């Protein structure tokens, strides 16, 4: 068992973020000491690391909570995660295409400016 400060240190999250995760249902409510301190199991480290990785991949906290809820119930959320990931890839592809178009237009403008045609 560990206190919230140690969990924060091990996961590079702030204490406030961990409290928010608990409030949002991403972290199960921890046991409390007689003094009222949160006492997290060591498994909480991997759970927070999973949340961090999912956030870095573009998943919202609501989406992450849904996946964790299914996993907590013993269900395999793989299909749901795969569908959401495919949607995120499609959005990224559209964004990349738009950025490439902008890059190409700017590159052409630079070429024209350098030639004195603009």
């Amino acid at each position: 068992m560990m206190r919230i400060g140690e969990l924060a240190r091990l996961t590079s999250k702030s204490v406030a973020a961990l409290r928010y995760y608990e409030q949002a249902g991403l972290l199960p409510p921890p046991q409390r000491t007689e003094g009222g301190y949160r006492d997290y199991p060591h498994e909480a480290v991997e759970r927070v690391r999973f949340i961090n990785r999912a956030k870095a991949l573009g998943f919202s906290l609501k989406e992450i909570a849904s996946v964790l809820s299914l996993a907590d119930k013993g269900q395999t959320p793989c299909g749901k995660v795969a569908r959401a990931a495919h949607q995120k890839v499609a959005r990224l592809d559209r964004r990349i295409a738009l950025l490439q178009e902008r890059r190409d237009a700017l590159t052409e403008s630079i070429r024209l400016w350098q030639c004195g045609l603009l």
Side-chain angles (χ1 to χ4, degrees):
M1 301 297 276
M2 72 185 90
R3 300 279 167 80
I4 196 168
E6 184 178 359
L7 180 59
R9 184 181 56 77
L10 291 172
T11 60
S12 300
K13 298 306 287 185
S14 68
V15 168
L18 295 174
R19 287 183 181 137
Y20 178 76
Y21 288 175
E22 181 185 335
Q23 179 185 17
L26 294 161
L27 283 175
Q31 293 181 7
R32 296 281 185 150
T33 65
E34 286 185 23
Y37 292 101
R38 290 170 169 85
D39 223 359
Y40 289 94
H42 291 285
E43 296 81 29
V45 172
E46 280 310 309
R47 189 172 181 111
V48 174
R49 288 179 179 162
F50 170 82
I51 294 166
N52 288 342
R53 285 189 304 271
K55 280 182 59 182
L57 291 173
F59 288 89
S60 69
L61 291 181
K62 184 177 178 181
E63 290 169 322
I64 296 166
S66 175
V67 168
L68 289 172
S69 175
L70 289 172
D72 289 345
K73 294 174 186 170
Q75 299 175 9
T76 305
C78 295
K80 182 175 185 162
V81 173
R83 284 188 298 279
H86 280 293
Q87 291 172 349
K88 290 181 186 316
V89 168
R91 278 194 295 265
L92 283 171
D93 287 342
R94 289 190 299 272
R95 180 83 173 135
I96 289 168
L98 177 63
L99 289 171
Q100 186 62 50
E101 288 174 18
R102 287 182 187 169
R103 184 184 187 283
D104 292 346
L106 281 170
T107 300
E108 178 62 14
S109 294
I110 291 168
R111 186 187 70 75
L112 294 172
W113 288 326
Q114 289 174 337
C115 294
L117 299 175
L118 274 184

